[in-house]
Amino acid sequence: MSIKTAVLNGVQTIEMARPEKKNALTIAMYQAMADALKAAQADAAVRAVLITGQPGIFTSGNDLEDFMQRPLQGADSPVFQFMEALRGCDKPVVAAVTGAAIGIGTTMLMHCDLVYASDESRFAMPFTGLGLVPEFASSLLLPLHAGRLKAAEKLLLGDPFGAEDALEMRLVNAILPASEVVNHARRIAERFNALPPAAVRETKKLLRRGLEQMVKEAIATEGDLFAQRLRSPEAREAFQAFFEKRKPDFSQFQ
């Protein structure tokens, strides 16, 4: 299984486990993560969710070959099911990031409640370089986290950045040695076993109340544009260059 799930001591763990492909996410993996989040939401024994990857890799983002073969098909797409399940989860979601967190590997962190990263972790949102646009409300949330200028730098240029930048941009709570990240994040998630669950849920709702409608609208708007861009000549050139292992040539486009 490319997604491993388990419930232990009140924590639903969702582990991206496809290291041979750098945890590149397929449609089936999105569906499995969406189902796991829905199961955690419905299980009274689950007090928190922990999302992890593999040692040295959180996720390299979408599996482009799978993504092109199974394009987005409206709100019922597993991609949007995952986004909605994570956005709508009323239990605390803790993320443990080691290694690369690319594309949705970075944008999903803005929908987690607590994020811990290793000192060697790397982040990137390389959407424009693929002829695409930001997703998962990142065009709304990143400026709120990091400020408009820093968000423009990361979303327009798509350059990777390290853990210290992620901390400065308020994308992570703390930086730890790689060997300690997952255990630390699990200990944090297990703390919710000792807290009153309804109070935690209501507090999470209050924290997100002011942005809830704007986030929904941003996800929908970005999703429509993202689907359009997937069919664009620029995206075709970018993806073809990726598969051919060459630098894309956008000089022909205006």
Side-chain angles (χ1 to χ4, degrees), residues 160-239:
F161 54 98
E164 290 293 343
D165 278 344
L167 183 64
E168 180 184 347
M169 293 165 63
R170 302 173 186 173
L171 294 177
V172 305
N173 290 84
I175 302 170
L176 298 98
S179 61
E180 299 177 15
V181 174
V182 175
N183 287 337
H184 178 81
R186 176 169 290 281
R187 287 194 297 271
I188 294 296
E190 289 176 349
R191 286 181 60 182
F192 290 102
N193 289 315
L195 292 170
V200 169
R201 291 195 302 271
E202 293 301 328
T203 299
K204 176 169 177 172
K205 288 179 184 177
L206 288 170
L207 282 167
R208 300 190 169 203
R209 179 173 56 91
L211 288 174
E212 185 174 8
Q213 188 57 39
M214 287 190 289
V215 167
K216 286 182 180 179
E217 291 174 358
I219 290 173
T221 300
E222 290 172 348
D224 288 343
L225 286 171
F226 197 97
Q228 293 175 30
R229 295 298 309 167
L230 276 173
R231 300 187 294 271
S232 71
E234 289 179 347
R236 284 197 297 271
E237 165 60 17
F239 284 21

Side-chain angles (χ1 to χ4, degrees), residues 28 30 42 62 72 109 115-116 135 138 143 174 188 199 209 228 230 251:
Y30 277 113
N62 290 324
L72 297 177
L109 302 178
V115 180
Y116 300 94
E135 35 88 306
S138 55
I188 294 296
R209 179 173 56 91
Q228 293 175 30
L230 276 173
S251 62

Side-chain angles (χ1 to χ4, degrees), residues 6-13 39-50 89-94 113-114 186 188-201 204:
V7 177
L8 178 65
N9 195 22
V11 177
Q12 166 80 69
T13 299
Q41 180 84 347
D43 188 348
V46 172
R47 296 298 184 91
V49 176
L50 173 63
C89 184
D90 64 6
K91 298 178 181 181
V93 179
V94 183
D113 300 292
L114 298 162
R186 176 169 290 281
I188 294 296
E190 289 176 349
R191 286 181 60 182
F192 290 102
N193 289 315
L195 292 170
V200 169
R201 291 195 302 271
K204 176 169 177 172

